[in-house]
Amino acid sequence: MSGTSGARGAGDAYFPDLGNGGYDVAHYALNLTVEPTSNHLEGVATISATATQDLSRFNLDLLGLEVYTLKVDGNDAPFTRDGSELVITPAKPLAKGKDFTVSVLYRGSPEPRSTKAIPIAVGWIAIGDGSFVLSEPDGASTWFPVNDHPIDKATYTFHLTVPSGVTAAANGDLVATTPSPDGAHTTFTYEETAPMASYLAEVAIGDYKVETSQGPNGVKIRNVFSSPLATQAEEDFRRTPEMLQLFASDFGPYPFDIYGVLVVNEHTNFELETQTMSLFDSTLIDGNVKDDFIVAHELAHQWFGDSVSLSSWKDIWLNEGFATYAEWLWTEHTDGVSVQSQAQQLHDKLPPSSDVLPGDPGVDHLFDVGAVYARPAVMLQALRMSVGDDAFFTILRTYLAKFAGKNATTDDFIGVVNEVAKRDLHGLFDAWLYAAPLPALAAS
Ligand code: TRP
Ligand code: ZN
């Protein structure tokens, strides 16, 4: 058996280098020792994967940082670096179907990278006395070796070692806090046991206040607030249990066993739906629970995007359209303004025609507010008008249950629509997602 090289990308039309071919990752164990004041990271990444072809060579995505030891199944493996590609030649080819383990010892000062998708740098962000991660869509490779495409979801264990007194937080449950023998360092261990897309992996280090409580339906609530912002943030996020309740009744059970927010003391003007722990910057923290529709937006992403993940980035409306629609559900619940009137108001503001197609916006317009957030949300209301309330929410719950923990495409969603509605609604989606003219907000 000789095998061939795994592809250098996962085949995404927008990001040809993101992800890799030839294997499937099951689990990442990330052992990170971080000195927050110097932003120095020592990492041991242990990656459990399965070969999906006879593999003579394969890539991981890793940008910057120095790799000093790399082993495949315990044997040293030669590697080269080529931009964001870490190219690995195992001592012996890996047969299709074989489980294997890659361990990468690496170090350096992680830095964010620019992305074609949004005008900010993504990845590991150092902020003086700490750091956090904001990786959508292509920033994960700035801090760990990864198959960086949402199509390859995996579970994660984080062992985060920081100077004692500093807090380290990550996705999932905190399962251990272990002081070093001399007491100078503390290791925080987190387990994310649900499959997670790599851009949703979060590690935050710094001065944080962690507040836990019991939420509805057995969901644990854990908020990680930057200490200076904690008092105000408590008020800003006060209604999270009520939101969990509303969305569980609209969408089906919350998909994970823990939820909360991470509030960082930095102005990024971006919020991100990092799994089980949505990231909020300081801009929104004002000690006023009103206008918490963005809080609802990020929570809704835990269903739409995190539990059910994209198969390719061009389907980004599957994340942002639903999260925007969820804002209206929350506002209707709190302020009594109907979803229909909110959708109509937004429809009135949309341009009569859009060069950016919601179903294929292009990498430069991946997060276009009009085309990717607003128009697909209004489309969902047109769908609801077409099929009626009961069928509409049955569609959402069926889609979420069917693809929970997995990946979906626009066609997968349309498939569920047609099945539940018992009619062919392809025309509606074609008009709203793949043609320039703005359709009327009306039943089809
Ligand atoms: N998904 C985010 C949202 O809608 C937006 C976003 C895209 C983002 N890329 C990002 C946020 C990078 C922070 C960093 O809420
Ligand atoms: Zn969003």
Side-chain angles (χ1 to χ4, degrees):
M1 202 275 294
S2 54
T4 51
S5 299
R8 114 182 227 126
D12 195 283
Y14 289 6
F15 299 97
D17 283 352
L18 270 197
N20 304 280
Y23 64 93
D24 188 63
V25 177
H27 186 73
Y28 294 90
L30 302 178
N31 208 316
L32 311 179
T33 301
V34 180
E35 282 304 326
T37 45
S38 61
N39 190 39
H40 183 79
L41 180 155
E42 295 278 335
V44 182
T46 307
I47 301 166
S48 310
T50 305
T52 55
Q53 66 179 65
D54 290 341
L55 211 49
S56 59
R57 221 177 71 179
F58 63 93
N59 292 13
L60 285 162
D61 300 316
L62 181 68
L63 191 60
L65 302 166
E66 179 202 352
V67 174
Y68 59 96
T69 303
L70 199 155
K71 291 180 193 285
V72 176
D73 287 335
N75 301 313
D76 282 315
F79 61 90
T80 56
R81 308 289 296 269
D82 176 12
S84 61
E85 302 293 313
L86 172 61
V87 182
I88 302 161
T89 308
K92 279 192 312 214
L94 304 161
K96 179 176 178 176
K98 183 183 165 22
D99 294 336
F100 64 99
T101 302
V102 188
S103 60
V104 184
L105 276 61
Y106 65 106
R107 64 186 158 213
S109 288
E111 283 173 18
R113 71 181 296 182
S114 62
T115 172
K116 288 184 169 166
I118 41 169
I120 58 163
V122 293
W124 181 282
I125 318 273
I127 47 166
D129 65 343
S131 57
F132 61 94
V133 168
L134 186 148
S135 296
E136 189 182 19
D138 52 356
S141 63
T142 65
W143 62 285
F144 68 105
V146 55
N147 193 26
D148 196 11
H149 193 279
I151 197 70
D152 192 4
K153 297 170 71 158
T155 55
Y156 285 69
T157 305
F158 302 90
H159 298 284
L160 308 171
T161 301
V162 293
S164 291
V166 172
T167 297
N171 318 83
D173 264 310
L174 175 64
V175 294
T177 309
T178 317
S180 62
D182 67 358
H185 289 84
T186 302
T187 301
F188 295 81
T189 302
Y190 292 85
E191 290 281 0
E192 175 52 63
T193 55
M196 177 164 77
S198 47
Y199 76 91
L200 298 169
E202 178 62 59
V203 163
I205 291 163
D207 175 16
Y208 289 100
K209 198 170 163 213
V210 180
E211 303 184 355
T212 56
S213 58
Q214 191 57 51
N217 311 317
V219 178
K220 243 191 277 176
I221 296 194
R222 183 243 347 238
N223 289 317
V224 181
F225 295 141
S226 168
S227 296
L229 300 173
T231 308
Q232 287 190 304
E234 276 169 25
E235 183 62 17
D236 287 306
F237 297 96
R238 185 164 59 74
R239 298 185 78 170
T240 296
E242 204 180 332
M243 277 181 196
L244 278 164
Q245 192 74 56
L246 177 72
F247 290 162
S249 69
D250 286 337
F251 305 151
Y254 174 74
F256 310 113
D257 54 9
I258 185 163
Y259 185 68
V261 297
L262 165 67
V263 174
V264 299
N265 197 0
E266 179 78 355
H267 280 278
T268 62
N269 256 317
F270 279 97
E271 324 305 324
L272 184 62
E273 61 268 27
T274 34
Q275 189 159 309
T276 70
M277 185 171 71
S278 297
L279 172 67
F280 288 77
D281 81 319
S282 57
T283 320
L284 295 176
I285 307 308
D286 60 3
N288 187 344
V289 75
K290 269 178 66 92
D291 293 335
D292 55 357
F293 63 91
I294 299 174
V295 179
H297 178 110
E298 304 311 331
L299 174 58
H301 271 309
Q302 303 295 318
W303 283 262
F304 295 101
D306 295 10
S307 173
V308 179
S309 298
L310 301 176
S311 303
S312 63
W313 282 106
K314 75 171 168 41
D315 288 341
I316 184 67
W317 80 270
L318 287 172
N319 289 5
E320 302 306 344
F322 286 102
T324 303
Y325 194 86
E327 296 172 20
W328 301 338
L329 293 169
W330 177 246
T331 299
E332 180 180 71
H333 174 82
T334 54
D335 299 353
V337 186
S338 72
V339 170
Q340 175 67 33
S341 69
Q342 295 181 73
Q344 186 62 58
Q345 269 180 40
L346 193 54
H347 185 269
D348 293 346
K349 287 193 209 134
L350 285 172
S353 176
S354 172
D355 293 340
V356 181
L357 299 179
D360 193 0
V363 65
D364 301 335
H365 296 278
L366 198 60
F367 297 98
D368 188 290
V369 175
V372 171
Y373 288 66
R375 185 160 144 170
V378 178
M379 172 186 76
L380 290 170
Q381 185 60 13
L383 173 66
R384 183 169 169 181
M385 294 164 79
S386 305
V387 301
D389 287 0
D390 283 356
F392 178 73
F393 286 103
T394 302
I395 287 165
L396 300 193
R397 285 191 288 269
T398 305
Y399 166 74
L400 290 165
K402 183 168 179 187
F403 297 101
K406 305 191 195 117
N407 300 84
T409 63
T410 297
D411 280 346
D412 288 329
F413 180 69
I414 298 172
V416 171
V417 168
N418 290 345
E419 198 181 291
V420 173
K422 299 193 183 66
R423 51 184 279 223
D424 186 2
L425 282 149
H426 266 104
L428 182 149
F429 290 95
D430 283 344
W432 283 89
L433 296 178
Y434 303 111
L438 177 69
L441 177 53
S444 15

